[in-house]
Structures are given as C-alpha cells and as structure tokens.
C-alpha cells in the first residue's frame, strides 16, 4: 500500500502512478475509504509527501460533500475530531507549516463541515477552533484560513446558490452575528496587536479575514476608535501595508446609510492624513503598494459620490447635509489629480472610476463655482494630456504586453477626455485648437510625443464633440467650424514629415477621420495625396506605417473620387505602380514592401480611380482591361509552371501568386456600383475572361490543400460577379459549380450553398437561369443533400462544442438551401427528384422544425413548409402531399412550441413562432372548412379541452396579428 501511495509522485514509474490513482478513485467511491485516508494522515507515514496528504484530503472532501450529511453520528465525530486535531497533527510531524495547497484544502473541508453542522450538530465549532490556538502562528494561520473558507461558503456573492443554500447561509450568518462575531472580532484584535511586526503572514491573513467579514457584520465592531488605529498602524508597516489597504478598502465599501458612509469616509480620511499615508504618492517607489493605496482612495471618492446621489434622491430638501457630502468630495480632488498624474500608469489607473464619477456629478449638478470649475478642467486636461504621451520605455519596434497595457490605459484616458467634452465642449475644443496651432507651427522643434499627442487630441475630438461641431462642413470663407480650422492648420503643416512613425501614423489617421473636409476644400486634395504618396506614407521605411496607409489611402480615394482629374488619376497610378506587382511568399519576403492584404486596398483604389474618373466609357474599359490583364499575366504564367513542376513542395509560391491574382481581380470589382455598372462601362468581357482563367486553375495538378484554397478564392470571386453582373454570368454557373463541388464533400457543399442561394435569389425570374442553372440543380440536388445527410450522421463527442457549432451551421445552411429553392419558386428542382429522396428531404425539414433547439433553423423550416403549402396544398399539388401535410406539417406546428426548449422570450424563437402562425394560416387559406374540421378532431388528441379547441379555431380564423398574439400567450 505504501509503495502504491508513493507511486503518485514517482514520475519514473508511470505504472505505479496509474495504479495509485486507481486506488484513490476506489477510496473515493468506497463508503469507508475516507476512514482509511484519515488513518493514513494521522499515522504520519507520509508526512514528508504533501502530494499524498493532499490526495487523501481529496477523498475526505469527497465524502464530506456527498455522504457526510447522512452518515452516522459516530462517523461525523470522526471527521470533527480529525479537523480539531489537524493543527496538532501538523505540529507532531516536524513543526513546519504544510504546503499552502494542503492548508487550503483542510480549511475548505472544515468550511464544508461547518455549513452542515453549525449551529445544530456542532454549536461549539468556534469555541473548539479557538481553543487550539495558543498564540502559535501556525495554529492561528489555520484558524484564519478556515474563516476565509467559511466566508466563501456562506457569503461569496459570485457563487450561484440554490434557494435552500441561501436560506441555510442566512441562518448561519444570523446565528454568528448573535453568538460569535463579537468573540471573533476580539480575537482578530488580539492577533493584530499581538503579532504586529512579528508575523506578517498571520497579520495579513487576519486583515484579509476582516475585509471579508466586514461586508456582513456590524461595521461598528471594526470602525471604532479602538480598532482603526490598529489598522492604520499596519498600513504604515512595510510588511503588512498592502493587506491593510485592502482591508480598509473593504471597510469603506460596505453598504451603509449615505450620511453614515460620509462620516466613515471622512474619519478614515482624517486619520490617514494625520498618519502621513498619502505622502507615499510623492515619496514611495513601491508601485504595488501605491496601486493598493490608489484603489483605497478611489473607493473613498466613489462611495462619497454614491452617497451624494442616494441622499439627494431620498432627501432633496436637506441642503445642509448635501453640502457636507459635496464638501467632503471636493476636498478629495487635489489628491485625486495628483494620483491620476502619477508617473506609473498602473497607479494612475486606480482612480479612473473616481474621476469619471466626479465628472458625471459636476456635469449633472454644476454645483462648483465657475472659478473652481475652470481650475479643475484645466488641471484635469493637463494631467490627461501628460499621461497620454508615450514615455521613453515604449518599444515601437517590438510591442509586447507593456505596450498593450499602455494602449489600453490610453483608451481609459480617452473616456475621461470624452466626459470632459460633455462637461464643456467649447473649452475642450478651444484648448485642443490652441495646442494644435502651436504644434503645427513648431513641430520640428518639439519631441515626437508632444506632436503625436496634439494630433491624437484632435483625432479624439471627432468622437467627443457633437455632430453640430464636427459634422457640418462649409466651404465659405469665414464660416469654418473649429474642426475645419484645425484641419487647415494640419494640412498647412508638414507634420507627416516627422521622423517618428507614431507621428506619421497619427497624422494620417487624423486627416482620414475628417475626410469630408476634402470634399469642401478640394484645394487640399493634392497636398493630402502628396503626403500619402511620398516616402512618409505608402513608401515609409516602417512596414506598419505602410500597411496602415494602404487602408487609409483607400478610404481617402473613395471620399475624394469625384474630385480627381484624369491627369491626377494617372499620376496616382504611376506613383503606386511599384506596389502593384504580385508578390510571392519566398525567402526574400522581408523585402516585400506591403503584404498581400494591403495590396488588396491599392487595387481597390485603382478600380475606384478608373470607374469614377472623368474619362470616357471606352477609355475606362481600356484601363480596366489593362489592369486585369496585368493581374492575369502572372496567373497564366503560373498555370504553365504548375504543369512543369514535378515536386509538389515547389507549388507553394506559384499557388500564392494564383490566389493573390484571384483576390485582386475580385477587389477591382468592388469599384462598380448600381450607377456605374460593369456592363455600362463595357468591362463584362474582361471579368468573364478572368473567370474562365480562374476556372481552369481548378483543374491544376496541385495537392488537395492547395486546391481547397483555390476553390475558396474562386468562390469568393463568383460572389462578387453575382453582385456585379447580370444574366451573362449564368452560363458559367454550372461549370463553376461542378469545379467547386468536384469532391462533393461536406466542406465543399457547406461553402457552396451560400453562393448558389445568392444565384437563385437574384436570377430566379431569368429564362437563362431556367435554361442553364435549373437543369444543373436538378442533377446535383441529390448528391448535395446526401452529402449533407452523411455529414450530419457522423457521431461527435457531446462535449465537443466546436463540432456542435459546425454541425449547427451545416444544418442551418442546408435548410437555407431548401428554403431558397422553395421560396424562389424553383420547386421544379424538388419535383424532379426520386420520390424517396424527396420524402427524406421533407422529413428532415419536419425534423428541423421540431427536434433541434435552434430557432434560426426552425424559422427556416417553417418558412419552407409554409411555401410548400402555398404551392402544393391545392388541386394542382403532387400526389401524397395532402396526406403529408396533415400527418406531418400540421402536427409540427404544435409539437415545436410545446417543446421545453422553445422559449418565446427569445427574439429568434418568437420569429420562429410567427412562422408557425403563417404556416397554419396558409393551410387554412388553402383548405378552408376541411382544415377547420381537421383541427376540431386533431386538437383533442393532444389532450386539449373542447373549449380551448374552439378558442384556437376562432383565433385561427381571425386576422394574422390576433392569431400571432394568441399563439404567443396560449
């Protein structure tokens, strides 16, 4: 047995380890296994192995959780005796404290026993626990850990509780308040005074316990002249001050009457000030402690503000008391701004909630004098600007966790900036404008962080100030709004020439935020273009700047498209020509100027320039043809290379070229619109030619992984062509579909369905669609749905959430495919199928409407059933449909809402219920009295009373709105 126990930690012998774990499982499941574990721990045979002790404790814990409550009194006493003796058992070993995870587990077991035994079976629990504490730090630590575990069991609000557990916990806390809390508080006081400066571990544990218990005991037991000095003493102790700060924070956080809370906060504020605690923000360098202290100060401020709100609502007429609270808040502001401006961002961030709450208070009541308000706004803005600046430690080349934390901190500061704007937008705009004016004149003499933050503040104004100031643009001289004036300052400067990438990035981000400026001021378009096209924009030495500029440049061109002349268009295309070459992924990738994704933005720019330019349609056709041919050339070359390359490992760079060519051609098509169509500009032939080339790629001799990527790219290109083209695309659909469904596997089908749905929806009325596409759908329908059926029948693990989501998505897409066929009147595809296949499809729709708790799929299924009723429930319907309708469709309309998973409080489920109503209405319209007669005989089979049946029939014959409402409340 001993050897097997040591197998738990014997990594060199896995067999013994496995056998030992099996024994522990047997002990857990054995009714008396826990007794053996108690004996093992008491025996001290494994005192040197905490892991074995821990595993035995797990067995005991399992017993306490599952069988202790129903065990005999003698067995319960064995557990209680073991817990009483635990400190002595540890002392008998070697006197040293056990590992923390062992101590915590024993404390947890003690708490689990406590909540079951106190106050009935073990009313002297605390007397027994305190009796073993003889001023020994180890014993006291165990006692304090048990108290923490008890609080976790009875008072932790983050743990969901049953009603029975809540009732039990309330009884325990009430009993403790009545009988033992005073005793516990005295014991805490004794610990804090006895161990002050001698055992920081014990003192810190005691402070943590007080912080937990203060939330549900009488606060006056701790917040008094006797106890508070002890807390403050520990706050001034180097070893215990962080724990003391947390404890005082919890004391102040306790829910109280507003006036009492104000007195409590002010008393602590006075005592802490007298003790010189706040001086730490100037003199102390311990950032962890300062963060704790900052949190404490923040809680003091937010609680005072909360007290003000509560008291102003409950006693609005008591102005004197309200002024007392407000004055208490005001006295906290100078130190608040000092903490906010602390050089450590973590310390500064601790008081952000206080700042936000105070700004909201001032904005709502405006009780500050104008002079004080002006000083506060100026001080706060000065701190925010200073803290927004990058410091010297920020690594722009290798941004890591510290840099990410600073950017997140900046977001929090922006919220303060926004709130300051809500308080006084005119002041904020004026200050930003003055700062920007100075920066635009002297940027080359300032540090980069000063320049960057000036641009950043101007950028922030785009969201901070209302649309009346930033959204209305005027070209009339003398009528420029402040935002326009600042944009003129920015555009008249050369700040983008700054050597630091952060300034360059912020410059371009800012001018694109106010892109509408260039519509009113076209005289600045050339200067904006020049900034982008020079070495500080798209050709910047920093890849990150080049990448971001590609996106921003595409936005810029889209905004100013109507103001670009033919000559300007040629200049732009010539300037970005070095960036248009299709790049491969190879050993020299580091030399690539921009990424593949960035290149997509530039090709979209080319498309917009051509389509929106001043040239004649014929010239646009020629330009677009040239650019598409530029893309197709390496594509055709790549196809020839694939035929000659024998080694599949060499396909990678060639396939990358092909994928990029397809993506770029698709991106060019985004330039067309409903006003400037592909057909009106004569560009249909070249894009169809590109499609032909791309479809040939799907016959290339490449590995399956490469083929999947090619199919995906071609499918995306087809999505674009469905948007841009008309019937001229349809003859290509069958050939393209065959290439995309070459293997007819589940993934191919799943990705193909959205494409064919898009085709069906757009071209359903086209005779070419009926001629070219419908025959193909008739042919491919059965293999497609059988592929879906096969995929849905593959077993998956119940706890495999990813597989569950993928299956749900496949099922939804399958139903959407059937819905596209049915709702777009392409039911000839269904009628042409084998009756057995059609019946299987119909039954899957019935199953989807009832059996799967997915309201999105259910909505699709009931819309399918409704449309089938509309089409086939008349005299012209196919044989057997009437029987199917009464045996399956109508019952499904009742079975689905009766499911427990059908929650009409969910918005999607409510939409599905409306589809149920629509389906039943369609049956009524088609079959009239026959359906009424059927319902009168069918509903009683569902154990529905004659009265309810008649109510339903009456509601069914009412208008749609009333019937839907009836179903909702029925």
């Amino acid at each position: 047995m001993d050897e097997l126990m040591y197998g738990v930690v014997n990594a060199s012998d896995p067999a013994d380890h496995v056998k030992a774990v099996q024994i522990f499982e047997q002990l857990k499941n054995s009714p008396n296994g826990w007794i053996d574990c108690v004996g093992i721990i008491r025996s001290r045979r494994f005192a040197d192995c905490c892991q074995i002790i821990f595993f035995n404790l797990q067995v005991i814990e399992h017993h306490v959780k599952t069988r202790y409550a129903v065990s005999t009194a003698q067995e319960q006493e064995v557990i209680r005796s073991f817990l009483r003796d635990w400190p002595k058992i540890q002392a008998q070993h070697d006197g040293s404290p056990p590992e923390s995870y062992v101590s915590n587990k024993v404390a947890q077991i003690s708490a689990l026993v406590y909540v079951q035994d106190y106050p009935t079976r073990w009313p002297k629990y605390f007397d027994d626990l305190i009796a073993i504490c003889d001023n020994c730090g180890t014993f006291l630590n165990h006692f304090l850990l048990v108290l923490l575990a008890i609080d976790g069991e009875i008072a932790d609000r983050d743990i969901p509780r049953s009603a029975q557990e809540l009732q039990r916990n309330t009884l325990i806390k009430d009993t403790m308040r009545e009988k033992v809390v005073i005793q516990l508080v005295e014991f805490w006081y004794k610990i804090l005074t006895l161990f002050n400066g001698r055992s920081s571990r014990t003192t810190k544990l005691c402070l943590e316990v007080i912080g937990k218990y203060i939330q549900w005991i009488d606060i006056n037991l701790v917040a008094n002249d006797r106890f508070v000095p002890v807390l403050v003493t520990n706050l001034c102790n180097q070893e215990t001050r962080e724990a003391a700060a947390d404890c005082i924070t919890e004391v102040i956080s306790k829910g109280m009457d507003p006036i009492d809370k104000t007195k409590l906060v002010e008393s602590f504020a006075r005592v802490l000030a007298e003790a010189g605690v706040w001086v730490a923000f100037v003199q102390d360098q311990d950032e962890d402690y300062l963060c704790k202290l900052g949190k404490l100060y923040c809680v003091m401020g937010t609680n005072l503000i909360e007290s003000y709100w509560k008291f102003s609502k409950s006693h609005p007429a008591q102005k004197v008391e309200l002024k007392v609270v407000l004055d208490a808040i005001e006295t906290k502001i100078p130190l608040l701004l000092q903490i906010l401006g602390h050089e450590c961002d973590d310390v500064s961030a601790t008081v952000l909630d206080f700042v936000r709450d105070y700004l909201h208070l001032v904005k709502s009541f405006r009780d500050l004098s104008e002079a004080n308000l002006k000083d506060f706004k100026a001080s706060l803005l000065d701190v925010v600007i200073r803290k927004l600046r990058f410091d010297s430690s920020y690594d722009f080349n290798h941004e890591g966790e510290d840099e990410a934390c600073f950017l997140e901190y900046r977001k929090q500061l922006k919220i303060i900036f926004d709130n300051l704007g809500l308080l006084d937008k005119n002041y904020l705009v004026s200050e930003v404008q003055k700062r920007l004016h100075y920066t635009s004149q002297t940027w080359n003499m300032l540090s980069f962080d000063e320049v960057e933050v000036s641009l950043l503040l101007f950028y922030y104004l785009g969201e901070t100030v209302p649309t009346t100031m930033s959204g209305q643009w005027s070209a009339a001289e003398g009528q420029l709004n402040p935002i326009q004036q600042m944009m003129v300052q920015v555009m008249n400067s050369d700040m983008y020439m700054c050597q630091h990438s952060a300034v360059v990035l912020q410059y371009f981000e800012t001018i694109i935020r106010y892109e509408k400026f260039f519509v009113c001021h076209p005289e600045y378009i050339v200067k904006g273009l020049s900034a982008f096209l020079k070495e500080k924009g798209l050709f910047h030495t920093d890849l990150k700047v080049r990448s971001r500029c590609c996106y921003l440049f595409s936005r810029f061109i889209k905004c100013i498209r109507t103001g670009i002349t033919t000559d300007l268009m040629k200049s732009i295309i010539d300037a970005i020509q070095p960036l248009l070459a299709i790049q491969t992924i190879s050993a020299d990738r580091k030399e690539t100027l921009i990424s593949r994704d960035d290149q997509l933005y530039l090709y979209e720019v080319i498309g917009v320039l051509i389509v929106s330019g001043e040239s004649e349609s014929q010239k646009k056709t020629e330009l677009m043809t040239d650019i598409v041919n530029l893309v197709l050339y390496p594509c055709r070359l790549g196809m020839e290379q694939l035929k000659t390359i024998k080694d599949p490992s060499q396909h990678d760079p060639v396939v990358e070229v092909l994928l990029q060519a397809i993506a770029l051609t698709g991106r060019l098509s985004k330039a067309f619109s409903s006003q400037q169509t592909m057909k009106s500009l004569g560009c249909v032939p070249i894009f169809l030619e590109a499609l032909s080339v791309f479809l040939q790629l799907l016959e290339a001799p490449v590995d399956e992984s490469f083929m999947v990527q090619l199919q995906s790219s071609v499918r995306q290109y087809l999505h674009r062509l469905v948007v841009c083209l008309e019937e001229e695309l349809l003859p290509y659909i069958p050939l393209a579909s065959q290439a995309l469904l070459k293997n007819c596997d589940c993934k191919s089908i799943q990705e193909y369905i959205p494409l064919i749905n898009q085709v069906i929806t757009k071209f359903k009325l086209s005779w070419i669609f009926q001629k070219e596409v419908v025959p193909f759908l008739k042919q491919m329908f059965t293999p497609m749905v059988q592929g879906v059926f096969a995929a849905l029948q593959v077993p998956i693990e119940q706890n495999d959430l990813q597989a569950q989501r993928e299956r749900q998505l496949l099922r939804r897409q399958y139903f959407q495919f059937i819905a596209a066929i049915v709702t777009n009147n392409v039911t000839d595809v269904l009628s042409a199928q084998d009756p057995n296949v059609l019946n299987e499809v119909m039954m899957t729709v019935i199953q989807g409407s009832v059996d799967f708790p997915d309201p999105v799929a259910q909505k699709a299924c009931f819309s399918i059933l409704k449309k089938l009723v509309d089409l086939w429930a008349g005299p012209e319907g196919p044989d057997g449909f009437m029987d199917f309708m009464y045996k399956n469709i109508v019952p499904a309309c009742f079975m689905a809402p009766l499911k427990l998973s059908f929650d009409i409080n969910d918005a999607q489920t409510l939409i599905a219920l409306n589809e149920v109503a629509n389906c039943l209405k369609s049956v009524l319209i088609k079959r009239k009295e026959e359906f009424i007669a059927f319902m009168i005989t069918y509903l009683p089979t569902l154990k529905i009373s004659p009265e309810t049946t008649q109510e339903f029939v009456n509601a069914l014959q009412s208008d749609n709105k009333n019937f839907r409402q009836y179903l909702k409340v029925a």
Side-chain angles (χ1 to χ4, degrees):
M1 181 71 170
D2 287 6
E3 293 179 359
L4 291 174
M5 287 289 176
Y6 277 115
V8 171
V9 292
N10 188 4
S12 62
D13 194 344
D16 280 353
H17 179 81
V18 171
K19 188 175 294 186
V21 171
Q22 291 175 346
I23 288 178
F24 278 116
E25 288 299 320
Q26 292 172 4
L27 289 171
K28 285 171 65 175
N29 296 324
S30 169
N32 296 318
W34 65 274
I35 297 177
D36 296 334
C37 292
V38 170
I40 288 171
I41 295 175
R42 283 184 175 275
S43 71
R44 296 182 293 167
R45 295 201 307 274
F46 303 102
D48 60 334
C49 185
C50 285
Q51 289 174 286
I52 292 178
I53 299 296
F54 183 76
F55 270 104
N56 281 277
L57 289 172
Q58 284 185 305
V59 175
I60 298 171
E61 180 187 35
H62 182 265
H63 168 74
V64 171
K65 284 182 175 180
T66 59
R67 294 189 291 267
Y68 177 81
V70 295
S71 59
T72 65
Q74 184 179 0
E75 291 172 334
Q76 291 174 352
E77 183 55 34
V78 171
I79 293 289
R80 288 194 285 266
S81 175
F82 168 72
L83 295 176
R84 281 193 294 263
D85 292 344
W86 170 256
K88 296 179 183 178
I89 294 172
Q90 283 302 307
Q92 289 171 357
H93 290 163
D94 59 7
S96 60
E99 294 287 346
S100 59
Y101 61 87
V102 172
S103 300
N104 291 335
K105 181 59 68 176
V106 175
Q108 183 61 37
I109 294 172
S110 298
L112 291 171
V113 171
Y114 171 79
V115 296
Q116 297 180 68
D117 281 359
Y118 189 83
T120 53
R121 288 198 295 250
W122 198 352
K124 300 291 185 180
Y125 181 92
F126 288 102
D127 292 334
D128 291 347
L129 202 59
I130 292 175
I132 63 175
C133 296
D134 57 355
N135 296 341
C136 172
T138 302
F139 286 18
L140 290 174
N141 289 351
H142 169 67
F143 172 65
L144 294 169
L145 285 173
V146 171
L147 290 180
L148 287 175
I150 289 173
D151 178 81
E153 287 295 321
I154 66 174
D156 192 335
R157 296 179 180 179
D158 293 332
I159 301 175
R161 311 284 188 189
S162 66
Q164 184 179 1
E165 288 174 330
L166 290 173
Q167 185 177 6
R168 177 204 68 188
N169 293 346
T170 300
L171 173 63
I172 291 173
K173 287 187 287 186
D174 287 345
T175 306
M176 288 182 65
R177 292 186 190 102
E178 180 182 347
K179 296 184 177 181
V180 301
V181 161
I182 293 178
Q183 183 184 9
L184 289 177
V185 172
E186 285 300 313
F187 202 75
W188 299 337
Y189 181 80
K190 178 181 177 183
I191 291 173
L192 292 180
T193 53
L194 181 65
F195 287 92
N196 182 29
R198 290 202 298 120
S199 176
S200 61
R201 166 68 174 159
T202 302
T203 301
K204 287 189 282 188
L205 273 176
C206 186
L207 290 167
E208 184 179 358
V209 169
I210 295 170
K212 295 292 186 182
Y213 279 70
I214 198 66
Q215 299 303 318
W216 53 274
I217 67 174
D218 183 1
I219 194 170
N220 292 313
L221 294 172
V222 174
N224 54 51
D225 294 338
R226 176 172 174 253
F227 218 110
V228 168
V230 179
L231 297 180
V232 176
T233 299
N234 280 282
L235 189 61
C236 298
N237 184 302
Q238 190 82 14
E239 298 294 325
T240 60
R241 60 185 185 177
E242 290 184 26
D246 285 339
C247 180
I248 296 174
T249 299
E250 293 298 330
V251 172
I252 293 174
S253 299
K254 182 179 175 65
M256 296 173 63
D257 173 80
I259 297 300
D260 291 339
K261 172 61 69 72
T262 302
K263 293 177 180 178
L264 174 69
V265 172
E266 285 300 88
S267 65
F268 267 106
R270 182 178 62 258
V271 170
L272 296 178
E274 291 172 353
V277 170
W278 306 127
V279 179
F281 288 111
V282 176
Q283 300 177 351
D284 207 300
Q285 300 298 316
D286 186 347
E287 293 177 359
D288 290 336
Y289 169 58
L290 293 180
C291 284
K292 300 282 188 181
L293 209 56
K295 181 182 176 182
L296 167 59
Y297 199 77
C298 181
V299 167
M300 292 172 68
T302 55
N303 274 266
L304 284 174
I305 293 173
E306 183 181 4
S307 296
Y308 184 87
W309 286 114
K310 288 181 177 179
F311 199 76
S312 64
K313 291 178 181 178
S314 59
H315 302 83
Q318 297 188 19
K319 302 297 182 181
V320 175
E321 288 80 0
L322 284 172
K323 189 176 187 308
V324 169
V325 182
L326 190 59
D327 289 343
I329 297 171
E330 293 300 328
T331 60
K332 307 294 181 294
I333 302 308
L335 182 56
L336 169 65
L337 293 174
Q338 181 182 337
I339 301 173
L340 182 66
H342 194 276
E343 62 180 3
C344 174
D345 294 339
D346 290 338
V347 175
S348 171
T350 60
V351 294
L352 288 172
D353 287 342
F354 186 5
V355 178
R356 283 194 291 266
D357 288 355
Y358 181 69
L359 282 170
H360 179 58
L361 178 71
V362 175
K363 178 171 64 73
S364 300
F365 285 93
R366 303 296 179 105
D367 287 329
L368 273 178
S369 67
E370 196 61 37
N372 288 343
L373 183 59
K374 183 178 179 180
D375 291 342
F376 169 71
K377 290 184 297 186
S379 300
L380 179 59
L381 182 59
D382 178 67
V383 171
V384 169
I385 292 173
R386 180 158 43 87
K387 294 301 296 179
L388 280 170
R389 291 169 60 175
F390 291 105
D391 60 34
S392 58
S393 66
Y394 193 97
D395 190 344
F396 290 91
N397 296 320
H398 304 92
E399 292 180 322
E401 183 178 351
D402 290 341
E403 287 72 24
C405 289
F406 175 72
L407 295 179
E408 184 61 35
Y409 170 66
R410 260 192 166 192
K411 294 178 182 178
Q412 299 301 315
L413 289 176
K414 181 186 178 299
I415 296 175
I416 303 298
F417 183 85
D418 291 342
N419 287 334
L420 191 54
L422 293 174
L423 178 64
D424 190 341
K425 64 178 182 295
N426 293 325
Y427 168 79
L428 192 64
V429 171
S430 174
E431 290 300 311
V432 172
Q433 189 169 12
K434 285 189 291 186
R435 187 180 186 87
L436 187 65
H437 176 73
Y438 173 75
T439 303
S440 65
Q441 301 294 320
T442 60
W443 66 268
N444 53 352
M445 294 183 291
L446 302 175
S447 62
F448 87 89
D449 53 305
E450 290 182 87
V451 181
E452 191 272 346
V453 84
S454 293
L455 288 168
L456 180 68
L457 295 172
F458 179 34
Y459 178 84
Y460 282 170
L461 283 182
E463 293 181 1
T464 303
V465 300
T467 55
T468 54
M469 188 171 291
S470 64
Q472 294 181 358
W473 304 89
S474 172
E477 193 165 344
Q479 297 182 12
L480 305 186
N481 65 40
I483 299 296
Q484 285 177 277
Q485 295 171 18
M486 283 185 268
M487 272 298 292
V488 169
Q489 293 172 6
V490 170
M491 295 308 299
N492 285 334
S493 77
D494 292 323
M495 284 188 280
Y496 69 90
M497 295 297 293
C498 180
Q499 294 300 313
H500 203 285
S501 61
V503 175
V504 178
L505 271 176
Q506 194 55 61
Y507 174 88
F508 287 114
E509 294 280 2
T510 301
I511 67 172
I512 297 306
R513 162 147 285 185
Y514 304 108
E515 57 189 13
K516 293 180 181 178
F517 168 84
F518 297 96
V519 177
C520 291
H521 299 273
E523 66 271 20
Y524 287 101
I525 288 178
V526 172
K527 188 152 189 176
L529 287 171
S530 177
F532 271 111
L533 298 175
K534 285 185 178 180
E535 66 276 5
K536 291 300 182 180
L538 293 172
F539 295 92
H540 198 279
T541 55
D542 189 332
L543 176 60
K544 184 169 66 174
V545 175
R546 295 199 301 271
S547 175
R548 186 61 180 169
C549 279
C550 287
Y551 164 71
L552 296 173
F553 186 55
S554 71
R555 282 187 53 184
F556 183 60
I557 294 298
K558 290 176 186 177
C559 178
I560 64 169
R561 64 172 73 189
T562 58
I564 297 179
T565 63
T566 302
D567 291 339
L568 200 53
M569 177 191 72
K570 292 179 180 179
S571 298
I572 295 171
I573 295 176
D574 289 342
I576 65 175
Q577 194 69 39
L579 304 175
L580 300 181
I582 297 180
Q583 304 290 343
T584 62
I585 295 181
S586 57
D588 62 348
R589 187 179 182 185
K590 291 183 179 179
E591 299 177 4
T592 301
L593 288 175
I594 58 174
S595 70
R596 291 172 55 198
D597 290 339
D598 297 332
Q599 199 174 47
L600 295 176
Y601 292 118
L602 295 187
Y603 269 80
E604 189 173 352
V605 165
I606 297 294
V608 171
L609 290 173
I610 293 173
V611 172
S612 303
E614 299 176 338
S615 305
E616 298 290 334
S617 294
Q618 181 61 34
K619 183 62 176 177
K620 292 181 179 180
T621 303
E622 293 173 3
L623 291 171
M624 188 64 77
T625 301
D626 289 343
I627 194 69
V628 174
N629 279 326
L630 177 68
V631 176
L632 292 182
Y633 173 74
C635 193
R636 291 188 174 101
L637 187 62
M639 282 195 297
E640 295 302 320
Q641 290 176 333
L642 287 176
K643 295 176 183 178
T644 60
I645 297 175
K646 303 300 182 183
D647 184 1
S649 65
Q650 302 298 316
H651 288 169
D652 194 357
V654 179
V655 172
E656 291 294 339
V657 171
L658 303 179
L659 293 172
Q660 184 68 349
I662 299 170
L664 294 175
T665 311
R667 203 55 172 252
L668 283 168
S669 70
K670 297 191 76 172
F672 298 101
S673 64
S674 56
Q675 290 78 33
Q676 295 171 311
T677 65
M678 195 178 283
K679 188 172 185 177
S680 66
L681 297 180
C683 297
V684 172
I686 188 59
F687 280 92
L688 288 179
E689 180 184 345
L691 176 60
S692 298
V693 173
F694 299 153
L695 291 178
Q696 293 175 38
L697 296 179
L698 301 184
E699 302 298 327
V702 295
D703 288 347
E704 182 179 349
S705 61
F706 290 138
M707 182 54 64
V708 169
Q709 295 178 60
L710 289 170
Q711 286 177 325
S712 178
S713 293
V714 172
R715 187 166 43 249
Q716 293 301 318
Y717 182 66
L718 278 166
H719 276 294
R720 289 297 314 149
L721 292 189
V722 173
V723 173
C724 297
L725 296 180
E726 298 300 329
E727 294 176 335
E728 56 269 10
L729 174 65
L730 292 175
Y732 292 84
I733 295 299
L735 179 62
S737 298
Q738 288 175 349
L740 295 174
L741 294 171
K742 186 184 301 183
N743 299 325
C744 210
D745 58 286
C746 174
K747 185 173 179 60
S748 298
I749 295 170
Q750 189 171 353
E751 294 179 346
Y752 172 77
I753 285 176
L755 174 62
I756 196 61
N757 287 354
Q758 185 186 15
V759 172
I760 293 172
T761 303
K762 180 170 182 177
F763 298 111
K764 58 189 173 185
L765 300 179
S766 167
W767 68 270
I768 299 180
F769 173 77
Q770 298 294 332
K771 177 185 176 183
E772 301 284 353
V773 180
V774 170
F776 168 77
L777 286 175
K778 291 179 180 178
Q779 176 187 348
M780 289 300 299
F781 181 83
T782 295
M784 283 180 61
V785 297
Q786 288 180 341
V788 173
F789 296 161
L792 292 176
Q793 290 172 1
V794 174
I796 58 176
E797 294 291 336
Q798 188 172 0
N799 59 352
D800 190 343
L801 298 180
Q802 180 63 27
Q804 295 282 2
R805 284 191 292 268
E806 290 176 356
R807 174 160 293 187
Q808 182 187 63
L809 179 61
L810 174 60
R811 190 179 288 117
R812 285 182 180 181
Q813 290 184 330
Y814 163 71
F815 290 134
Q816 288 166 0
F817 173 54
I818 304 299
I821 290 175
V822 172
T823 57
N824 290 289
N825 297 322
V826 197
T827 49
D828 288 350
V829 174
L830 298 180
S831 303
Q833 305 306 310
D834 180 272
N836 292 329
V837 174
L838 181 58
N839 182 68
E840 189 174 4
V841 171
M842 299 288 286
M843 290 308 299
T844 60
V845 176
I846 295 296
Q847 187 182 25
S849 64
V850 177
D851 293 341
F852 303 117
D854 180 5
V856 175
Q858 288 177 302
K859 184 257 183 190
C861 289
F862 280 112
S863 68
I864 293 169
L865 296 175
K866 176 193 179 301
K867 189 64 178 179
L868 290 176
V869 169
D870 292 338
L871 295 173
W872 290 351
E876 69 285 357
D879 294 339
F881 181 77
M882 298 302 302
D883 187 54
F884 179 85
M885 182 182 74
Y886 282 121
K887 287 185 178 179
N888 294 285
I889 296 179
V890 173
C893 293
F894 292 92
M895 293 299 102
L898 291 175
K899 290 278 187 177
L900 294 177
S901 59
F902 200 88
D903 179 15
I904 62 171
N905 293 319
D906 174 69
Q908 291 292 337
T909 305
L910 190 57
I911 294 174
L913 183 64
N914 290 338
E915 288 296 332
V916 170
N918 294 338
C919 186
L920 290 171
K921 275 288 189 178
S922 291
V923 177
L924 177 66
I925 292 170
K926 284 291 185 178
R927 307 310 301 175
K928 300 181 175 60
E929 288 80 5
E930 174 188 294
F931 182 48
I932 296 297
F934 174 81
M935 295 307 299
I936 292 174
T937 59
Y938 171 71
L939 290 178
T941 66
L942 302 178
K943 298 182 180 180
I944 295 176
S945 66
E947 294 80 8
T948 305
T949 297
Q950 190 58 50
E951 286 180 7
F952 178 86
V953 169
N954 293 339
L956 180 62
Q957 297 178 83
S958 64
D959 59 61
N960 289 340
K961 182 178 179 180
N962 287 332
F963 183 50
R964 288 179 179 179
Q965 184 62 28
Y966 175 82
L967 284 185
K968 183 178 177 180
V969 300

